[in-house]
Amino acid sequence: MFDKVALIGIGLIGSSLAHVMRREKLANKICISTRRKETLDRAEKLGLGDTYELNPEIAVEGADCVIICTPVGVCGAVAEKIKSHLASETIVTDVGSVKRSVIDQVSPHLPTNVHFIPGHPIAGTEYSGPDAGFASLFENRWCILTPEANASPEPVQKLKAFWERCGSQVEIMDPDHHDLVLAITSHLPHLIAYNIVGTASELEGDTRSEVIKFSASGFRDFTRLASSDPTMWRDVFLHNKDAVLEMLGRFSEDLSGLQRAIRRGDGEALFELFAKTRDIRRSIIEQGQDVEEPNFGRDSS
Ligand code: NAP
């Protein structure tokens, strides 16, 4: 689909793209660039690309597609570095978990003769770095693209086709709407997980060791989310502040309602909510976004 793809950042998402591009033969040449030499050397050892460059300016030269796969907080700095090295008509995209901030950071730097089409694959794991990637990460997952209303249709269609070849279904969305939806589906769950695991880690000695021992009763499911990359998630909360605060406000009100129901012994209110939330889980399974096996598909408990 592309002659040369430059991947800037080669963590979980960048390396998964490298694997799937190779498998599906989506690029004649993959050039990898990242900040640290250790990471670049590791990517080379894993054979993720064809060429390796510490300098993103050199990496993007001659590329017809550039994919920024760094934490969202540095997308603007990356755009500033590469701006004068981009060929005319290049597709520049990203994979960041927040869209409005990335657009505000990147757009001012890019020349008008390139096509900037922000993107976000709704796929991931709690692991990071170039070793974490695998070719099937994007299979049966959504990828959201948030192009400007006046974006040229052909490059948007081309990027859509690219993600489809990576195994994803693609939805075009307004960036602010994306940020609000992801605040509740992804960002708030991670914040709650970081908070509950943080609370547990502050408990006194004996109780704390029992938290680990008896974690299979629920706690361990939060620890998976709470072990996600700290840099990536720090940037998500700093860059999707308004939408997260909006959803956190609603969450806090609902939590107060639950607190009241428990204090008053209002079993009916509790039962009603717990029955409703079960239905949401059923819908997720029906739409193929999780498997039905107990313990979220783990083979031992
Ligand atoms: P990751 O595994 O932590 O990798 C991040 C990569 O970015 C590393 O290669 C790191 O390089 C590089 N990097 C950091 N700062 C850089 C800079 N200033 N210039 C160039 N490279 C830099 O992260 P990830 O999970 O792949 O996430 C990447 C992006 O995808 C994030 O924006 C995240 O929001 C988004 N995303 C993540 C997930 C997920 O579940 N993880 C899902 C969907 C979207 P060094 O090692 O050289 O420092």
Side-chain angles (χ1 to χ4, degrees), residues 8-14 34-36 39 69-72 74 78 95-97 120-121 123-125 127-129 229 232 236:
I8 314 295
I10 192 72
L12 169 72
I13 302 295
T34 190
R35 178 181 51 172
R36 290 182 302 144
T39 311
C69 304
T70 64
V72 290
V74 297
V78 169
V95 295
S97 308
H120 177 205
T125 75
Y127 298 110
S128 51
D229 190 72
M232 171 193 153
V236 167

Side-chain angles (χ1 to χ4, degrees), residues 281-282 284-286 289-297:
R281 171 97 192 126
R282 272 193 213 114
I284 288 171
I285 293 166
E286 272 162 27
Q289 296 302 305
D290 205 350
V291 288
E292 200 160 10
E293 283 99 80
N295 284 322
F296 299 84

Side-chain angles (χ1 to χ4, degrees), residues 51-173:
T51 53
Y52 302 87
E53 281 295 342
L54 270 180
N55 241 329
E57 297 95 312
I58 301 176
V60 303
E61 261 165 22
D64 47 352
C65 178
V66 174
I67 311 181
I68 304 172
C69 304
T70 64
V72 290
V74 297
C75 288
V78 169
E80 188 169 14
K81 276 190 189 156
I82 63 175
K83 65 182 178 191
S84 357
H85 301 262
L86 296 165
S88 178
E89 300 301 317
T90 299
I91 291 179
V92 178
T93 184
D94 76 304
V95 295
S97 308
V98 178
K99 294 279 52 91
R100 174 55 64 193
S101 165
V102 169
I103 292 169
D104 290 348
Q105 291 178 62
V106 171
S107 296
H109 295 297
L110 295 185
T112 49
N113 62 356
V114 305
H115 305 283
F116 177 44
I117 309 164
H120 177 205
I122 313 297
T125 75
E126 64 274 35
Y127 298 110
S128 51
D131 287 272
F134 52 99
S136 59
L137 178 66
F138 309 110
E139 257 163 46
N140 300 320
R141 294 286 169 261
W142 285 97
C143 179
I144 298 175
L145 300 181
T146 63
E148 293 257 28
N150 61 355
S152 317
E154 297 82 20
V156 174
Q157 282 312 311
K158 189 164 181 182
L159 191 62
K160 180 172 182 277
F162 171 84
W163 278 106
E164 285 167 354
R165 293 281 300 276
C166 294
S168 297
Q169 284 175 277
V170 177
E171 183 135 324
I172 308 285
M173 212 185 256

